[in-house]
Amino acid sequence: MTGLSTLSDDLTVVPLPTKITYDVKVTELAVEGTYEAITVLIDEIPASGSGELAADISNLHAFIDVGVLLNLITGRIIIQTVTINVDFTSVNLNLEDLVVCGDPVDWDSVNEDAKPVFDQFWAENKEEVEALVKGILQEVLEVCSTAD
């Protein structure tokens, strides 16, 4: 089954200081379909296979908080802060018959390691991701505010 079981979200805007908060919770998000391995998409690591795919993530919780400065003199909106938190309970992936570097993928091992690997990645890269998102949001605001 493809879809999600429960989705709840909350968008909060606080006028002064201007702050936008978006909080999303999904009990279970599932995707099913077919795939065909394309080596180029995986940093040129030799991969082959095609067939059914199934992926689901349980108890996904994503939270973004954006602090905004509204400059009334220039009319510019400036993103001051971006805080992002992402958490989930588990991930289950299965791409039937996928072979990477000549070996079939051990999906049980991948799924078991997904949460701790993500947690480590997030701990090491959270600030960089937040800075990247802040830059993208600021750029979008600049483009939108100068568009005729």
Side-chain angles (χ1 to χ4, degrees):
M1 167 190 258
T2 299
L4 47 100
S5 61
T6 305
L7 168 71
S8 66
D9 68 332
D10 182 41
L11 176 65
T12 306
V13 179
V14 179
L16 291 174
T18 305
K19 186 174 169 178
I20 302 167
T21 302
Y22 189 57
D23 191 8
V24 179
K25 296 174 185 169
V26 179
T27 305
E28 185 157 356
L29 175 63
V31 176
E32 291 180 353
T34 58
Y35 82 96
E36 184 154 342
I38 300 173
T39 300
V40 173
L41 295 179
I42 328 175
D43 294 331
E44 300 186 19
I45 295 172
S48 63
S50 62
E52 299 294 317
L53 75 85
D56 69 76
I57 186 167
S58 298
N59 299 314
L60 174 64
H61 183 195
F63 174 88
I64 183 167
D65 185 76
V66 180
V68 181
L69 173 66
L70 304 172
N71 186 325
L72 298 176
I73 296 169
T74 65
R76 282 188 73 213
I77 300 172
I78 300 166
I79 305 291
Q80 289 188 307
T81 60
V82 171
T83 303
I84 302 171
N85 290 307
V86 179
D87 193 25
F88 56 88
T89 305
S90 65
V91 172
N92 290 299
L93 302 171
N94 187 3
L95 280 72
E96 156 186 295
D97 299 327
L98 180 64
V99 175
V100 176
C101 296
D103 295 318
V105 175
D106 177 359
W107 291 110
D108 290 335
S109 178
V110 168
N111 293 328
E112 185 177 310
D113 292 342
K115 173 73 170 142
V117 167
F118 175 81
D119 288 345
Q120 180 179 351
F121 167 84
W122 192 249
E124 294 171 359
N125 297 286
K126 180 181 188 293
E127 289 179 6
E128 187 176 332
V129 171
E130 290 171 338
L132 178 65
V133 170
K134 179 181 175 186
I136 291 169
L137 290 174
Q138 189 64 56
E139 194 170 314
V140 167
L141 284 173
E142 294 293 328
V143 168
C144 291
S145 66
T146 58
D148 292 326

